[in-house]
């Protein structure tokens, strides 16, 4: 059946253009038709909510909410909820979405979020390479308790730019995120999520501005993405499994981290994590796993492969004593068991003298650690790098430098 255009369908005072191809239908809901206003001073939140409601309830195979080209829209905190009647729904950002600059706009609302999708299946959030989301987080950073602990009314919680909550079969792609107040992208309670072709940037000094954080989610792919922020490029939280992270450029920032986990003494369950083909430049850490002594549970079946480091502090770390300020005298008899970790093909330069640091618990040792094909050099002329191991058990093959220190 040939493609043909169907006249516009009127929803109240606004329009959605309908296209039919074969047996599938697609409705495009332009937010400008729902009252969105160009500029950074007038709020377009209600217009986007109206467009979303119309798209979500549409009796079509697929619906698209469109932020058109050459438009900048101010959006206050919103949650776009499902389930939707449309079989799939796309949130298309061809223009730019900006956050309010004043933290006061979050009064009497959830201070942790700005843009959120919740309970939507078959969601596609994309910008086709030109869409931009600007968190305009400067005012939040200036009152951060981390950087201004003596400031009266300082804040330890600030909005995440985009949350994807309980959304299955979801993709996020081709968007430039900049200057989130805190974490840029959070994936929580979701399954089968693909993230690709993002650019995420914030100043190196900006507090807690992680690029992507994954929590309580499964079957997640992150690939072909550039991240440079003030915290972890990618961080993996608890109750997470089957995550593939590949072809990432990371820096500045704190590297790619599993954890920290077990801070409240809870049972940790993280498994089947694969990190490969990552270029770290000037980061404070490279790849790391960090757990608190009072935690319990398991981190297992983790692979770090094909990692390149350029002037990186602490290229590889396992730290089961994270947050232990009391030293050995305060050591607990608990711990998260870290097992079956493969570290393969690590190359590049380290600023720190200890390039590989495996600081495992005296009570719950790290087991099944494999070091293979590693050649790290000092970024400082005339110096050599070393390894440090505490209660770390496993095997080494083809490790040129630093000299391995694993126990069998």
């Amino acid at each position: 059946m040939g493609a043909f255009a169907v006249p516009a369908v009127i929803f109240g005072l606004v329009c959605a253009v309908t296209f039919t191809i074969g047996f599938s239908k697609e409705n495009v809901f332009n937010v400008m038709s729902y009252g969105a206003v160009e500029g950074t001073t007038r709020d377009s939140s209600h217009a986007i909510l109206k467009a979303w409601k119309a798209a979500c309830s549409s009796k079509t195979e697929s619906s698209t909410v469109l932020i058109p080209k050459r438009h900048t829209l101010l959006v206050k905190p919103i949650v776009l909820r499902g389930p939707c009647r449309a079989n799939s729904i796309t949130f298309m950002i061809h223009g730019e979405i900006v956050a309010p600059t004043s933290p006061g706009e979050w009064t009497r609302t959830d201070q942790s979020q700005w843009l959120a999708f919740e309970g939507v299946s078959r969601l596609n959030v994309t910008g086709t390479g030109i869409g931009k989301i600007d968190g305009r987080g400067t005012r939040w950073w200036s009152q951060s308790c981390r950087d201004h602990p003596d400031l009266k009314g300082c804040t330890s919680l600030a909005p995440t730019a985009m949350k994807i909550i309980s959304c299955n079969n979801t993709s996020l792609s081709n968007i430039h995120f900049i200057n989130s107040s805190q974490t840029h992208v959070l994936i929580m309670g979701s399954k089968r999520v693909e993230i690709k072709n993002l650019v995420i940037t914030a100043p190196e000094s900006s507090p807690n501005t992680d690029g992507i954080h994954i929590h309580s989610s499964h079957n997640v792919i992150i690939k072909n993405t550039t991240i440079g922020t003030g915290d972890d490029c990618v961080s993996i939280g608890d109750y997470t499994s089957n995550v593939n992270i590949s072809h990432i450029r990371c820096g500045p920032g704190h590297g790619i981290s599993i954890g920290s986990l077990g801070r409240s003494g809870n049972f940790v369950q993280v498994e089947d994590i694969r990190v490969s083909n990552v270029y770290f430049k000037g980061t404070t850490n490279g790849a790391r796993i960090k757990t608190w002594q009072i935690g319990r549970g398991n981190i297992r079946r983790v692979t770090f492969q094909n990692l390149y480091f350029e002037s990186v502090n602490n290229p590889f770390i396992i730290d089961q004593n994270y947050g232990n300020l009391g030293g050995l005298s305060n050591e607990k008899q608990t711990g998260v068991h870290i097992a079956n970790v493969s570290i393969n093909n690590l190359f590049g330069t380290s600023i720190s003298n200890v390039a590989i640091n495996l600081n495992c618990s005296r009570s719950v040792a790290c087991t099944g650690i494999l070091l293979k094909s590693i050649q790290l050099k000092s970024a400082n002329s005339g110096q050599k790098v070393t390894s440090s191991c505490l209660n770390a058990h496993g095997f080494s093959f083809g490790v040129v430098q630093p000299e391995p220190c694993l126990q069998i």
Side-chain angles (χ1 to χ4, degrees):
M1 183 182 294
F4 59 95
V6 178
V9 180
I10 299 177
F11 293 89
L13 298 177
V14 295
C15 299
V17 181
T18 305
F19 301 91
T20 304
I21 303 175
F23 292 100
S24 65
K25 295 181 179 180
E26 179 180 4
N27 282 357
V28 179
F29 299 82
N30 189 327
V31 299
M32 307 309 293
S33 299
Y34 288 78
V37 181
E38 162 72 26
T40 61
T41 58
R42 297 177 63 184
D43 180 22
S44 291
S45 306
H46 294 297
I48 292 175
L49 287 167
K50 288 178 183 177
W52 175 266
K53 184 176 180 180
C56 186
S57 61
S58 176
K59 296 180 180 179
T60 56
E61 189 67 23
S62 61
S63 295
T64 297
V65 175
L66 175 64
I67 311 295
K69 293 179 182 178
R70 295 181 292 278
H71 285 78
T72 299
L73 304 181
L74 172 67
V75 180
K76 294 183 179 181
I78 57 173
V79 181
L80 304 178
R81 291 189 168 90
C84 293
R85 179 177 291 178
N87 186 54
S88 65
I89 189 163
T90 297
F91 194 84
M92 181 81 71
I93 306 169
H94 279 168
E96 181 176 2
I97 296 174
V98 301
T101 56
S102 172
E105 295 290 351
W106 276 262
T107 302
R108 294 185 297 277
T109 189
D110 184 352
Q111 194 168 289
S112 75
Q113 69 184 32
W114 171 35
L115 308 174
F117 297 88
E118 184 173 355
V120 187
S121 294
R122 294 172 295 279
L123 169 69
N124 175 32
V125 182
T126 184
T128 61
I130 57 176
K132 183 180 289 186
I133 294 176
D134 186 349
R136 302 205 291 181
T138 304
R139 292 275 296 277
W140 287 97
W141 305 337
S142 67
Q143 64 181 38
S144 162
C145 291
R146 190 202 75 172
D147 292 349
H148 308 281
D150 297 327
L151 177 67
K152 184 178 180 180
C154 73
T155 52
S156 57
L157 182 65
T160 292
M162 181 177 290
K163 289 186 178 182
I164 295 177
I165 306 167
S166 301
C167 295
N168 299 332
N169 303 302
T170 291
S171 66
L172 172 62
S173 63
N174 299 300
I175 297 174
H176 185 184
F177 288 85
I178 62 172
N179 296 336
S180 179
S181 303
Q182 210 159 77
T183 300
H184 286 78
V185 176
L186 169 66
I187 308 298
M188 184 166 65
S190 300
K191 298 177 182 177
R192 297 177 297 279
V193 178
E194 182 178 56
I195 300 172
K196 62 182 180 181
N197 302 328
L198 302 185
V199 176
I200 301 175
T201 55
E204 186 174 4
S205 60
S206 57
N208 305 312
T209 52
D210 296 66
I212 302 170
H213 181 68
I214 308 165
H215 182 80
S216 193
S217 295
H218 313 283
N219 302 312
V220 178
I221 295 172
I222 303 172
K223 62 183 181 181
N224 302 330
T225 289
T226 298
I227 305 172
T229 66
D231 212 302
D232 292 326
C233 292
V234 182
S235 56
I236 296 172
D238 208 351
Y239 308 112
T240 298
S241 67
N242 198 21
V243 176
N244 283 278
I245 301 167
S246 66
H247 298 92
I248 306 295
R249 292 179 64 91
C250 175
H254 296 179
I256 293 179
S257 299
I258 298 174
S260 64
L261 301 174
R263 181 172 185 170
S264 61
N266 59 294
F267 188 91
V268 171
Q269 188 172 350
V270 173
E271 55 193 18
D272 299 309
I273 310 296
R274 291 166 289 278
V275 179
S276 65
N277 299 296
V278 179
Y279 171 53
F280 298 91
K281 182 177 181 180
T283 52
T284 57
N285 300 287
R288 59 178 173 167
I289 302 173
K290 46 183 182 174
T291 64
W292 292 69
Q293 284 186 5
I294 60 173
R296 297 168 294 115
N298 298 281
I299 298 174
R300 55 195 174 193
R301 298 190 299 277
V302 179
T303 299
F304 296 97
Q305 181 170 292
N306 301 334
L307 309 184
Y308 182 80
F309 307 92
E310 182 179 340
S311 297
V312 170
N313 270 299
N314 312 308
F316 189 86
I317 301 173
I318 294 177
D319 187 1
Q320 282 184 290
N321 301 299
Y322 189 76
N324 178 20
L325 301 179
L328 295 179
S329 63
N330 196 37
E331 198 165 322
K332 308 298 181 184
Q333 297 303 307
T334 52
V336 177
H337 185 205
I338 298 174
N340 301 323
V341 179
S342 175
I343 305 138
N344 185 19
N345 288 340
L346 272 57
F347 300 95
T349 57
S350 171
I351 293 177
S352 57
N353 291 331
V354 180
I356 295 179
N357 188 354
L358 309 179
N359 179 22
C360 298
S361 167
R362 293 176 184 270
S363 301
V364 183
C366 301
T367 60
I369 307 297
L370 173 64
L371 299 176
K372 184 179 179 182
S373 301
I374 296 174
Q375 187 168 355
L376 298 172
K377 299 179 180 179
S378 177
N380 306 307
S381 179
Q383 296 187 18
K384 290 186 176 182
V385 295
T386 63
S387 295
S388 175
C389 296
L390 175 64
N391 215 17
H393 299 261
F395 297 93
S396 303
F397 301 96
V399 178
V400 177
Q401 191 175 335
E403 185 176 340
C405 55
L406 288 169
Q407 298 173 253
I408 296 175

